[in-house]
Amino acid sequence: MPEAQISITGNTVIDALFVTGEKNQDDRFMDQDLMRLFDKFSDKKIVGVTSHRRENFGDGLTNIAAALCQIAERDDVALIFPVHLNPNVRTIMNDALGGLNSVAMIEPLDYPNFVALLDGCTLMLTDSGGVQEEAPAPGKPVLVMRDTTERPEGIAAGTAKLVGTDKDLIVQETCKLVDNTEYYESMAKAHNPFGDGKASERIADIIEQSLVS
């Protein structure tokens, strides 16, 4: 396709995230257990966690779990972790994290409540592709627990950083974001290359213009 016929609009998922966040202001439909966790951890910085990639099964997840345990030792941090249903994930995480007071392992969240977690957390630890696009929209730094990513734009923009499944590096970078305000702001305020919430408007305008011409 000729370059002149290509338009960059951003990802409509960011539009959906902002719309969902606005609707979440009416908390009647929010998961009350999640709301209670926000209250419970109101004096701590919340680290949101998702982990489910198949390439991390085994040693990778074991290393991630060990890193989370070490992070949870901090008095000023709490982790909220919607745990994937796959037993390869649950077995390792339950064995490592079960019973820790500052780690809340909860059931997977629907989209409105996941957006609420993004809004309420300080940063995200994830191996998810989608979270790499979504978390920067409300200004939340992303530490990507994978060795590679199919979303290099986030790494280049500074909204995300690859930490792999190296326990020490996961802990080091998480603590640096918690402790170093300047470092945190450099990621939190970086431009999200995946969208600004206006992709749908741009798409509609482009279609309308093409019909007129």
Side-chain angles (χ1 to χ4, degrees):
M1 177 179 292
E3 185 174 348
Q5 295 180 18
I6 299 173
S7 298
I8 297 176
T9 64
N11 193 336
T12 54
V13 73
I14 307 303
D15 301 23
L17 184 147
F18 283 136
V19 170
T20 301
E22 291 175 2
K23 291 182 177 179
N24 282 356
Q25 298 303 312
D26 181 351
D27 64 2
R28 290 177 299 169
F29 305 109
M30 294 291 93
D31 184 304
Q32 294 307 303
D33 289 337
L34 179 62
M35 297 300 105
R36 281 189 284 269
L37 285 176
F38 286 143
D39 289 337
K40 176 182 177 181
F41 297 141
S42 61
D43 62 337
K44 300 179 184 292
K45 293 183 177 180
I46 294 174
V47 176
V49 182
T50 68
S51 184
H52 65 272
R53 301 290 296 192
R54 288 184 177 274
E55 63 261 37
N56 285 342
F57 285 1
D59 289 344
L61 283 177
T62 300
N63 292 340
I64 289 171
L68 298 179
C69 282
Q70 188 169 336
I71 293 166
E73 293 175 359
R74 294 182 56 124
D75 293 333
D76 58 347
V77 168
L79 284 69
I80 297 181
F81 187 174
V83 184
H84 197 278
L85 295 175
N86 192 307
N88 290 297
V89 178
R90 292 207 158 193
T91 299
I92 289 175
M93 295 304 170
N94 286 335
D95 288 347
L97 305 173
L100 297 182
N101 290 332
S102 57
V103 179
M105 291 188 293
I106 61 177
E107 294 300 310
L109 298 169
D110 61 16
Y111 193 65
N113 285 287
F114 186 71
V115 171
L117 175 58
L118 291 181
D119 283 335
C121 74
T122 297
L123 65 108
M124 286 296 301
L125 288 172
T126 188
D127 58 15
S128 167
V131 177
Q132 295 175 55
E133 298 188 16
E134 293 165 303
K140 306 307 165 75
V142 183
L143 296 179
V144 183
M145 299 184 294
R146 294 166 59 184
D147 294 324
T148 61
T149 177
E150 70 280 6
R151 292 169 172 81
E153 299 91 347
I155 307 299
T159 59
K161 184 169 185 176
L162 285 172
V163 293
T165 57
D166 182 313
K167 177 181 77 72
D168 293 336
L169 187 56
I170 294 170
V171 173
Q172 173 187 316
E173 287 296 323
T174 300
C175 291
K176 188 175 180 181
L177 283 167
V178 170
D179 294 330
N180 188 322
T181 301
E182 184 177 353
Y183 183 60
Y184 181 88
E185 293 295 328
S186 71
M187 293 185 69
K189 294 183 178 180
H191 170 69
N192 184 3
F194 300 107
D196 59 3
K198 298 181 179 180
S200 299
E201 295 178 21
R202 294 189 184 96
I203 292 169
D205 288 343
I206 292 166
I207 293 174
E208 184 177 1
Q209 291 171 14
S210 66
L211 293 175
V212 170
S213 59

